[in-house]
Amino acid sequence: MTALLLLHLIAGVLAPVLVRWWGRQAFLALALVPAASFVWTLLQLRTVLAGDDVRETVPWVPALDLDVALRLDALALTFAALVTGVGALVLVYCARYFSPEDEGTGRFAGSLTAFAGSMLGLVLADDVLLLYVFWELTTVFSFLLIGGSGRRLAARRAASQALVLTTAGGLAMLVGLIVIGQASGSFLLSEILADPGSGPAMVWGAVLVLAGAVTKSALVPFHFWLPAAMEAPTPVSAYLHAAAMVKAGVYLVARLAPAMADVPGWRPLVLGMGVATMLVGGYRALRQKDLKLLLAFGTVSQLGFLVTLVGAGSRELAAAGLVMTLAHALFKSTLFLTVGVVDHATGTRDLSRLSGLGRRLPLLAVTGTLAAASMAGLPPLLGFVGKEAAFTALLDGGLADRTAALAVLVGLVAGSVLTAAYTARFLWGAFARKPGVADTEVGHAPEPLFLAAPVLLSLTGLVLGPASPLLDGLVARYADTLPLLAPEVEHLALWHGWQPALALSALTVAGGAALFAVRGPVGRLQRRMAVGASADEGYWNVLQGVDRLSVAVTGTTQRGSLPAYLGTILVAVLALPGVLLLTRAPWPGQWRAWDTPVQAVVGIVVVTAGVLALRIRQRLSAVLVVGVTGYGIAVVFALQGAPDLALTQFLVETLTLVVFVLVLRKLPKDITERHRPRERAVRGVIAVAVGAFMAAAGAVALAARTGTPVSEGYPGPAYDYGGGKNVVNVTLVDIRAWDTLGEVSLLVVAATGVASLVFLRRRTGGVERAPRTRLAQAERGRRAPRDRWLAATATLDPARRSVVLEVVTRLLFHTIMVFSLYLLFSGHNEPGGGFAGGLVAGLALVLRYLAGGRYELGEAAPVAPGLLLGGGLLFAGGTGVVGLALGAGVLQTAILESTLPVLGDVKLVTSLFFDIGVYLIVVGLVLDVLRSLGAELDRQDDEEDPVELDPGEVVLR
Amino acid sequence: MTIEAPDLSLAALAPLLFVFGAACIGVLVEAFGPRDSRHPVQVAVALVGTLGGLVTTVLLAGTREVTAGGALAVDGAGLFLQATIAGLGALSLLLFAERNLDPARSAFVVSAAVPAGSVRDRELLTVQRVQTEVYPLATFAIGGMMLFVTANDLLVMFVALEVLSLPLYLISGLARRRRLLSQEAAVKYFLLGSFASAFFLYGVALVYGATGTVRLAGVREAVAGAEGGTLVVLGLALLVVGLLFKASVAPFHTWTPDVYQGAPTPVTAFMAACTKVAAFGAILRLLYVAFGTEEWTWRPLVYGVAIVSMVIGAVLGLTQTDLKRMLAYSSVAHAGFLLTGVLGLPATGDAAGSGLPAVMFYLLAYGLTTLGAFAVLTLVRSGEGEATHLSQWAGLAQRSPLTAAVMSLFLLALAGIPLTSGFTGKFAVFRAAIEDGAWPLALVALLASAVAAFFYLRVIVLMYFSEPAVDGPTVGVPGLPTTIVLAVTAAATLLLGIVPGAVLGLADRAAIFVG
């Protein structure tokens, strides 16, 4: 069996090549593949009739328990014979349906052959997951076959509609199959049937599997895709939409009915939808003018009929259903193929324009009439046998519930009346001569090969009617797996004697004829009763709704707005950890408002500054109030008894402000972006909530402390080993010196990065000293103040100079530098240290720059920042290396004490050198920032952005 | 006071050493190598590093040890994911190295610091000089990812997170064309990523505060001993937020579409494939090793987030008109599917249930497929670079049947159609979830798959069933690197769909964490 499937696959892949070589004759060669499968299937008949299964298992994905498990039993054999037999004939038909110059025939041939293989696999699969795989494969190939070349919008719409519906149903079915598999403990159909599970899981599984069957077999309410799919070429309609694919749902229901029929919910669903579909389809078929559409609605109706029979779960109905399935496949594909011939010969399928075709194409007319008679349930055709069996079954038992049986019977008889009526309409429409319509011209007579398939199929239907007892053995093999409700088994036969069922058959035919006779008034009535809404429109509305919804959601959530994105993340943080904190956190036992009232004052100032920062429109002022919050925090540090921290915070805050101001020169003065009040409110709420969350998390974490803080053990060793009384500083340069080394390295990288982004043209190589010539010119100009307080102020535009600032700078600069050195050296015991000292020195440089402009900076610190940075890092790292060389640990502190003349007792702690390194790095950082964000931006302004001016120059780093 | 030198198993560290070594050599080459020969040398160094990493992980198969002072856990799952990252990374580097498609020979800007749109920038646009800094950067990111999935310590995990993130932020902004878009993407990624990292770090602090350790095994013991309580849970929640951000799981996905669209396509491919693997590797290790006994805390969270992610990814993907954005939403949806598998983890024992191998397999399959899909995107170009608008792909099958066929294969795999790797992966994770009783989740996952399948198939329909636009895009002839990538990813997508047994078995055997 695997070989047959592979054969289909290979044929499908080779098909385009074959078509290129041999043209449309290639279809004949391709037809051999399903034909061979058909022969093989029939050869298994003996084994199957003997009650054995033909099984084959090839392991595929052992890790997931996926096997290629195939099984041929009576049911599978019936369907397999249908699929392969009709498939072969349709392929033969294709060899004449397509004209040699048609485009895309190769792809079509490949898809059709591959579809035949998938369909065969579907009915042979024993593993439910394999069944699903083939199920989806048929969906994909049907999509390709319906869409055709994709040139026509209607075909594309129909293809995608069929795809969406059947894929969605298929997925539901997959879930259902897995549920059933789990509940039954096996994924093999044979084992599930042998020992089905029970409980609510089976109910869910049943519903979900039915969803798959309903969509695939186009039952109400998903029936609308099938008529739309009539956009496909006729062979596709004949094969997929009559014999094969839509039968997959019927097959699935038939396959599972022995196990599932008694699951609550199964029967009401199957019977309800089946009967409803039969009636709706038949009713709609009466209104159609296009012969193909008429047949399509007829198919919908018949599928409802079939599902009702095979899903009912009794032996007699199942037997009737199987016969009916066979009959339907034979007559419906014949009819489709007939329409194809008509279409080919006359160029139209509109029954109001066709007239007198019966005389011109007699063979075709006979073929079509035979098939139609089978559809209407006329003896001696197979359709009659099936329908008769169904009626008998329902009259004698069929369903345990007699009321339900009668209701179903009434529905089926009504449906059969409609069937007979649209059958008559079809025959009349296709072949009859109509008054007032000119006889249709037949372009060219169909070739014998073109007619071979429909003739053969309809003859089979004719032969199998009288020969139906031959089918009995096969049908009974399957039907016996279901419980018999009738008093005795009714064998298949054309003639059962005078029975009530015969009367019902006569009634349906007579009713159909009557309905056809009054077609005029009926048509008018139907038009009047036509409902505005259809399931098809509903489908498109749903799709549009989903589309519109997702556009709306995308529009509101994905605007590319960073605040919106951040807001989403923050809301999620609030929703998950936030709720957790709120509901489950062990809150601190007691709350203290403040340690000193000054804290409250600082708090108010900080909060006010924060609020102001949001309201202020001027960038500079906003930055300043943000700075106020920082200073406020520094005051809190100082109040808490952490002068080192406070000092550093003050210095960093100041430097940050300066950098801000330098950058702000390049930006517009005002924040022009305005937000709607609601937006602001939402953001405000989120921001406050996140702030509160963070604060609360901190409070909870602090309150949860049970261990002793690690820092409590610091002061003693800090003095004993580190030789310093300032624990913070000793921590930085000794206890956690490695960390500090890492951090200063980071500073160096950051400074270099900032500088190289601003200095595009050259890396921070030389120092920009004031040009002597310009100084001299300024001297001569005599427009500058006479006394030069600073080195390079002369180069400044007089309008930008401030004598007061120059004088103050002159007075303060050296003092500040000395103070910074004091901080550096005293840091070990007093507040201060290399970091604070470096910041102070940096601020001194800032002062010089602000007072004297960009050349002043070069004069104040005639050294490249890179040198300072590198030197500092070398110094800090070198301390460690030296320590290592001297036999101590890396970065270990040594304490040298000696008495020097003049200075007296001097205690030298080697970590001082490390601190000097830090100092140098910080100074270098500030210098780099000033040079790049200050001086370089000045230069770009002065010289009108030379980056733009000389593009030929290479970027050097 | 002396510090014991940690035990280092050089063999177990070999994959990392290879990759990081290559990255460092790359930096040196960048600094000292002659400009003319830099490109081939950098490509060679990066490839040797990643492939070396791949080979060593394969050689290490079966290793189970905790090394580097307990900071690294080299185990089956870690090695499998490391190999996945190294392999996908090597393929991404090949995409970086492609020089045939863009007329200016490279997808990366020559000098990232030149302001976009300036005279100099316009000059440089057509210069055929190739920027080579991306190779060491990407190699560092790959190294970070490989460290991430073996980190046995929350701090090492954080360091790895930063090592992998920072280069990514940077190379996202290096697109040669549409530079502002690219830079905006990089800034957004950086800012939001910083928040995520901050949350992660806060989480580390809380967990440390509650349990007194950052070692995953230590956390597990402390948690099992019912220490910590709410603080641990709070910390876990914050840790997960940080990781979910990296894995672009909704609602932390907001950066994904913008960044995927803005970043140079090879970088997008790299991020989509490798970052996902790394982030999920870390999620698995964190949840399973450290919090395996605390399942009740994270199960509901993962459950909910998985649903949100699948639904958002699938529904929002419907409206996208840009292929890169569409694939971004697809990545969000797939993150949800992956989380479905994460729920299949059992709470007990060393042996993992079906969830872990399923997720590992899914990551490999998804990584290869998505990498291939982005590689196809680099082929289809118009005058302004890649043609990623959906309408430009109309009728592509007539222009280049092969490209359309390969793209269709990838899209079918992303949709999870049988006989592609996507189906096997999805099947495996869904089954794991179902076995764990997560019914409704599997149901939502299937529905989301159906919706998502719609937008993948729409592209196929467009390629095959539409008239090509008159002034449509051209399909470039890929050079050797992209050809290799396409061949490998397409073959893998097919093979993992038809005969996934061997790889599934491998994942099954490898699905072991040591802690």
Side-chain angles (χ1 to χ4, degrees):
Chain A
M1 284 183 270
T2 326
L4 291 178
L5 296 180
L6 283 178
L7 202 59
H8 278 94
L9 177 70
I10 294 167
V13 173
L14 288 183
V17 185
L18 296 182
V19 169
R20 194 170 301 163
W21 288 346
W22 303 332
R24 58 181 188 172
Q25 306 298 352
F27 279 107
L28 296 176
L30 291 172
L32 289 176
V33 176
S37 313
F38 181 67
V39 171
W40 180 87
T41 310
L42 289 187
L43 288 179
Q44 310 306 314
L45 200 55
R46 183 189 298 272
T47 323
V48 171
L49 284 179
D52 290 332
D53 300 340
V54 185
R55 285 170 189 258
E56 201 174 298
T57 304
V58 184
W60 177 25
V61 192
L64 294 176
D65 306 328
L66 271 180
D67 292 331
V68 180
L70 303 176
R71 186 173 73 119
L72 188 79
D73 62 355
L75 182 66
L77 189 140
T78 314
F79 276 91
L82 270 184
V83 166
T84 50
V86 178
L89 289 174
V90 166
L91 279 169
V92 169
Y93 178 85
C94 283
R96 288 297 170 271
Y97 179 81
F98 289 102
S99 50
E101 60 269 17
D102 274 353
E103 265 183 63
T105 313
R107 199 170 71 185
F108 178 86
S111 305
L112 197 62
T113 317
F115 171 83
S118 322
M119 201 58 215
L120 182 61
L122 196 157
V123 297
L124 290 180
D126 192 26
D127 190 311
V128 289
L129 300 167
L130 190 64
L131 175 97
Y132 169 74
V133 169
F134 282 118
W135 184 280
E136 290 297 358
L137 281 178
T138 60
T139 303
V140 170
F141 288 122
S142 101
F143 169 75
L144 292 175
L145 290 169
I146 297 174
S149 64
R151 295 285 162 79
R152 280 169 314 129
L153 177 69
R156 289 205 302 272
R157 279 168 69 108
S160 72
Q161 187 182 47
L163 182 76
V164 168
L165 279 176
T166 48
T167 316
L171 283 168
M173 182 190 81
L174 175 62
V175 180
L177 289 176
I178 297 177
V179 174
I180 293 174
Q182 288 278 333
S184 313
S186 167
F187 284 91
L188 288 186
L189 279 170
S190 46
E191 292 176 16
I192 292 175
L193 291 176
D195 180 20
S198 56
M202 288 300 273
V203 180
W204 281 107
V207 172
L208 289 169
V209 166
L210 281 180
V214 164
T215 47
K216 196 80 164 180
S217 285
L219 298 194
V220 169
F222 300 110
H223 59 285
F224 49 87
W225 71 261
L226 186 56
M230 289 302 130
E231 290 292 335
T234 302
V236 173
S237 307
Y239 191 34
L240 270 67
H241 304 136
M245 190 176 84
V246 290
K247 290 281 165 50
V250 178
Y251 168 76
L252 188 70
V253 172
R255 175 56 84 196
L256 289 176
M260 310 288 291
D262 290 324
V263 170
W266 172 277
R267 271 205 188 88
L269 272 176
V270 167
L271 299 179
M273 282 190 300
V275 173
T277 308
M278 187 171 190
L279 294 175
V280 169
Y283 179 80
R284 293 283 303 269
L286 282 179
R287 278 165 59 190
Q288 303 308 319
K289 283 197 163 166
D290 184 330
L291 287 176
K292 244 179 119 178
L293 277 181
L294 191 156
L295 288 180
F297 278 106
T299 309
V300 169
S301 164
Q302 292 287 310
L303 287 169
F305 186 28
L306 297 179
V307 167
T308 312
L309 295 182
V310 297
S314 66
R315 191 216 174 274
E316 49 272 37
L317 279 179
L322 205 56
V323 175
M324 219 33 236
T325 307
L326 199 56
H328 177 252
L330 292 174
F331 67 66
K332 195 50 71 62
S333 45
T334 309
L335 291 175
F336 270 118
L337 295 180
T338 309
V339 171
V341 178
V342 169
D343 193 6
H344 225 260
T346 65
T348 180
R349 300 188 308 238
D350 188 338
L351 51 77
S352 59
R353 286 169 56 196
L354 288 167
S355 179
L357 215 56
R359 302 253 176 101
R360 308 213 168 203
L361 300 169
L363 182 58
L364 188 70
V366 171
T367 310
T369 311
L370 271 181
S374 184
M375 177 153 82
L378 287 178
L381 292 132
L382 191 58
F384 168 75
V385 177
K387 208 167 264 184
E388 185 95 333
F391 291 158
T392 313
L394 278 169
L395 282 170
D396 293 352
L399 286 170
D401 185 346
R402 289 312 303 160
T403 339
L406 276 180
V408 170
L409 182 61
V410 170
L412 293 188
V413 169
S416 300
V417 169
L418 292 173
T419 307
Y422 70 70
T423 306
R425 182 176 164 84
F426 172 81
L427 283 180
W428 166 78
F431 300 115
R433 171 169 289 163
K434 294 166 194 95
V437 184
D439 276 10
T440 317
E441 288 300 314
V442 174
H444 54 92
E447 297 172 54
L449 197 59
F450 198 21
L451 290 176
V455 168
L456 209 54
L457 285 167
S458 68
L459 283 181
T460 314
L462 177 65
V463 170
L464 280 183
S468 54
L470 293 178
L471 290 174
D472 202 46
L474 185 66
V475 170
R477 271 281 152 235
Y478 162 68
D480 284 343
T481 56
L482 286 147
L484 178 69
L485 296 175
E488 60 180 80
V489 175
E490 185 92 9
H491 291 284
L492 292 177
L494 193 57
W495 180 249
H496 286 290
W498 299 101
Q499 278 188 334
L502 191 63
L504 286 179
S505 287
L507 175 71
T508 56
V509 174
L515 208 52
F516 176 68
V518 293
R519 60 184 179 276
V522 170
R524 280 195 291 282
L525 184 70
Q526 280 195 329
R527 268 196 296 282
R528 209 167 317 141
M529 282 168 55
V531 204
S534 72
D536 188 34
E537 281 170 26
Y539 166 83
W540 290 110
N541 284 342
V542 168
L543 271 203
Q544 265 191 1
V546 172
D547 252 0
R548 220 173 296 148
L549 177 75
S550 55
V551 167
V553 175
T554 319
T556 44
T557 57
Q558 290 287 342
R559 291 174 304 176
S561 146
L562 192 56
Y565 291 179
L566 186 58
T568 316
I569 293 178
L570 291 180
V571 166
V573 167
L574 284 176
L576 300 171
V579 169
L580 196 74
L581 185 77
L582 212 58
T583 51
R584 304 227 343 252
W587 291 103
Q590 57 169 19
W591 295 91
R592 206 164 57 240
W594 52 67
D595 293 327
T596 75
V598 187
Q599 279 180 337
V601 176
V602 175
I604 291 169
V605 170
V606 168
V607 170
T608 315
V611 172
L612 278 179
L614 294 179
R615 309 289 312 173
I616 291 175
R617 296 223 179 282
Q618 270 195 334
R619 279 177 211 276
L620 190 62
S621 322
V623 165
L624 284 177
V625 288
V626 169
V628 170
T629 63
Y631 289 124
I633 301 298
V635 172
V636 173
F637 287 157
L639 289 174
Q640 212 66 23
D644 247 305
L645 228 49
L647 178 64
T648 313
Q649 173 79 23
F650 265 115
L651 293 171
V652 169
E653 201 59 53
T654 311
L655 196 65
T656 313
L657 268 183
V658 172
V659 175
F660 253 127
V661 171
L662 291 180
V663 175
L664 283 185
R665 295 181 306 170
K666 280 288 214 183
L667 294 178
K669 203 173 114 223
D670 287 338
I671 302 169
T672 47
E673 202 186 356
R674 297 274 196 279
H675 299 288
R676 278 171 300 161
R678 231 178 69 203
E679 218 170 19
R680 290 171 69 95
V682 170
R683 286 183 192 177
V685 168
I686 294 177
V688 170
V690 172
F693 165 67
M694 283 299 169
V700 169
L702 284 177
R705 175 186 283 285
T706 51
T708 337
V710 68
S711 57
E712 275 182 21
Y714 274 20
Y719 189 76
D720 297 340
Y721 299 102
K725 291 178 196 154
N726 181 351
V727 183
V728 176
N729 186 263
V730 176
T731 306
L732 283 177
V733 298
D734 185 349
I735 303 176
R736 297 222 159 262
W738 272 114
D739 289 4
T740 313
L741 193 60
E743 280 156 23
V744 291
S745 315
L746 201 73
L747 270 188
V748 172
V749 173
T752 316
V754 170
S756 52
L757 278 180
V758 177
F759 284 95
L760 274 182
R761 299 193 313 124
R762 54 200 149 62
R763 179 58 189 106
T764 55
V767 179
E768 208 174 24
R769 301 291 293 268
R772 298 292 141 202
T773 47
R774 260 186 90 176
L775 280 178
Q777 276 173 4
E779 292 283 344
R780 275 201 300 280
R782 291 272 164 202
R783 283 160 59 200
R786 246 163 248 220
D787 297 310
R788 277 180 49 209
W789 294 95
L790 294 175
T793 36
T795 59
L796 273 185
D797 181 358
R800 279 166 63 182
R801 291 180 58 178
S802 151
V803 181
V804 179
L805 189 60
E806 282 174 25
V807 173
V808 171
T809 307
R810 175 86 204 202
L811 291 176
L812 281 184
F813 179 73
H814 299 97
T815 322
I816 300 178
M817 289 308 284
V818 171
F819 179 60
S820 83
L821 287 175
Y822 167 77
L823 282 178
L824 167 65
F825 285 105
S826 74
H828 223 53
N829 293 316
E830 308 287 327
F835 193 69
L839 284 176
V840 169
L843 285 176
L845 290 175
V846 169
L847 202 57
R848 282 287 289 272
Y849 166 72
L850 290 180
R854 63 186 169 114
Y855 291 114
E856 185 65 31
L857 195 63
E859 296 299 325
V863 51
L867 216 57
L868 285 178
L869 291 168
L873 199 56
L874 198 65
F875 223 105
T879 329
V881 177
V882 170
L884 197 65
L886 294 178
V890 180
L891 297 173
Q892 192 180 348
T893 306
I895 302 170
L896 309 169
E897 276 183 281
S898 65
T899 311
L900 292 180
V902 185
L903 291 173
D905 279 348
V906 169
K907 178 175 166 188
L908 183 65
V909 183
T910 52
S911 60
L912 175 67
F913 297 108
F914 186 82
D915 228 4
I916 293 176
V918 175
Y919 178 90
L920 289 177
I921 289 172
V922 174
V923 175
L925 168 76
V926 176
L927 197 57
D928 227 350
V929 167
L930 284 178
R931 273 168 42 84
S932 50
L933 297 179
E936 173 67 9
L937 293 190
D938 286 346
R939 190 190 61 77
Q940 288 180 9
D941 274 350
D942 290 353
E943 299 170 20
E944 287 167 352
D945 206 357
V947 173
E948 296 266 273
L949 286 181
D950 41 4
E953 205 168 343
V954 175
V955 177
L956 294 173
R957 292 276 156 87
Chain B
M1 198 167 75
T2 54
I3 297 170
E4 289 290 321
D7 59 307
L8 278 179
S9 162
L10 285 182
L13 288 175
L16 289 173
L17 293 179
F18 247 106
V19 175
F20 281 123
C24 294
I25 293 174
V27 171
L28 293 179
V29 169
E30 200 56 38
F32 302 111
R35 187 184 288 279
D36 297 336
S37 57
R38 230 185 261 166
H39 187 259
V41 172
Q42 285 285 30
V43 174
V45 168
L47 282 180
V48 165
T50 44
L51 291 178
L54 178 63
V55 170
T56 39
T57 45
V58 172
L59 292 179
L60 279 172
T63 311
R64 267 188 237 173
E65 64 175 297
V66 176
T67 184
L72 283 188
V74 182
D75 48 23
L79 286 172
F80 184 93
L81 295 172
Q82 276 193 336
T84 307
I85 292 170
L88 292 173
L91 290 175
S92 312
L93 286 170
L94 284 175
L95 284 186
F96 286 18
E98 176 62 52
R99 301 189 66 180
N100 268 15
L101 291 170
D102 197 298
R105 315 281 278 156
S106 165
F108 298 99
V109 67
V110 176
S111 174
V114 173
S118 61
V119 178
R120 177 118 184 85
D121 184 43
R122 286 194 291 280
E123 281 275 331
L124 286 173
L125 188 62
T126 48
V127 169
Q128 293 212 345
R129 211 164 63 214
V130 182
Q131 198 241 68
T132 47
E133 285 161 356
V134 285
Y135 298 103
L137 284 171
T139 317
F140 267 119
I142 294 171
M145 291 168 184
M146 289 169 68
L147 181 62
F148 203 38
V149 295
T150 46
N152 192 32
D153 179 315
L154 289 176
L155 271 183
V156 173
M157 209 179 251
F158 177 72
V159 171
L161 177 68
E162 292 304 301
V163 172
L164 81 89
S165 301
L166 292 173
L168 279 182
Y169 300 146
L170 205 54
I171 54 179
S172 307
L174 293 186
R176 183 170 205 116
R177 293 160 196 285
R178 304 193 184 110
R179 284 193 57 203
L180 282 179
L181 202 62
S182 173
Q183 290 179 349
E184 185 185 328
V187 168
K188 280 178 183 164
Y189 193 20
F190 170 63
L191 283 176
L192 296 175
S194 315
F195 264 92
S197 297
F199 283 128
F200 187 89
L201 198 57
Y202 204 166
V204 174
L206 287 180
V207 170
Y208 177 74
T211 62
T213 176
V214 286
R215 197 66 29 96
L216 296 184
V219 172
R220 184 189 182 90
E221 274 167 35
V223 169
E227 285 172 44
T230 311
L231 275 190
V232 173
V233 182
L234 199 60
L236 170 65
L238 288 173
L239 288 176
V240 169
V241 167
L243 292 178
L244 292 183
F245 174 87
K246 275 283 165 254
S248 55
V249 174
F252 311 102
H253 69 290
T254 41
W255 58 276
T256 316
D258 289 15
V259 175
Y260 274 30
Q261 189 186 17
T265 307
V267 174
T268 313
F270 174 54
M271 283 196 293
C274 296
T275 316
K276 188 79 86 201
V277 180
F280 269 95
I283 289 175
L284 287 170
R285 192 175 287 279
L286 181 80
L287 293 183
Y288 181 53
V289 177
F291 295 94
T293 55
E294 277 299 82
E295 223 188 329
W296 56 270
T297 53
W298 53 261
R299 269 191 86 86
L301 190 146
V302 172
Y303 208 107
V305 166
I307 290 180
V308 171
S309 200
M310 290 185 290
V311 170
I312 285 189
V315 173
L316 294 194
L318 283 179
T319 55
Q320 302 308 318
T321 50
D322 184 283
L323 277 163
K324 280 170 92 176
R325 283 185 87 84
M326 192 198 87
L327 287 176
Y329 279 106
S330 136
S331 135
V332 175
H334 279 280
F337 298 143
L338 279 160
L339 282 182
T340 312
V342 171
L343 279 176
L345 289 175
T348 50
D350 274 342
S354 54
L356 182 56
V359 173
M360 281 157 53
F361 178 84
Y362 198 117
L363 284 171
L364 176 64
Y366 171 75
L368 285 164
T369 307
T370 199
L371 194 64
F374 279 111
V376 177
L377 288 192
T378 61
L379 300 184
V380 183
R381 313 185 69 91
S382 68
E384 301 116 42
E386 283 146 13
T388 55
H389 197 272
L390 210 51
S391 62
Q392 291 171 298
W393 282 59
L396 195 78
Q398 293 177 34
R399 234 178 263 274
S400 171
L402 188 63
T403 311
V406 173
M407 189 67 183
S408 304
L409 172 68
F410 291 134
L411 290 171
L412 288 176
L414 289 173
I417 300 290
L419 295 181
T420 61
S421 60
F423 170 74
T424 321
K426 256 188 194 150
F427 182 77
V429 292
F430 292 173
R431 203 185 60 142
I434 288 172
E435 277 177 3
D436 218 55
W439 276 114
L441 188 62
L443 197 64
V444 174
L446 282 172
L447 289 178
S449 305
V451 176
F454 182 76
F455 62 74
Y456 299 122
L457 296 175
R458 193 171 57 181
V459 181
I460 300 181
V461 174
L462 197 70
M463 287 193 299
Y464 279 94
F465 295 153
S466 293
E467 286 298 319
V470 184
D471 51 348
T474 53
V475 177
V477 180
L480 185 64
T482 308
T483 312
I484 295 175
V485 173
L486 286 173
V488 170
T489 50
T493 302
L494 265 184
L495 284 180
L496 291 181
I498 299 171
V499 281
V503 180
L504 272 171
L506 187 69
D508 227 10
R509 285 194 300 282
I512 290 163
F513 278 129
V514 298

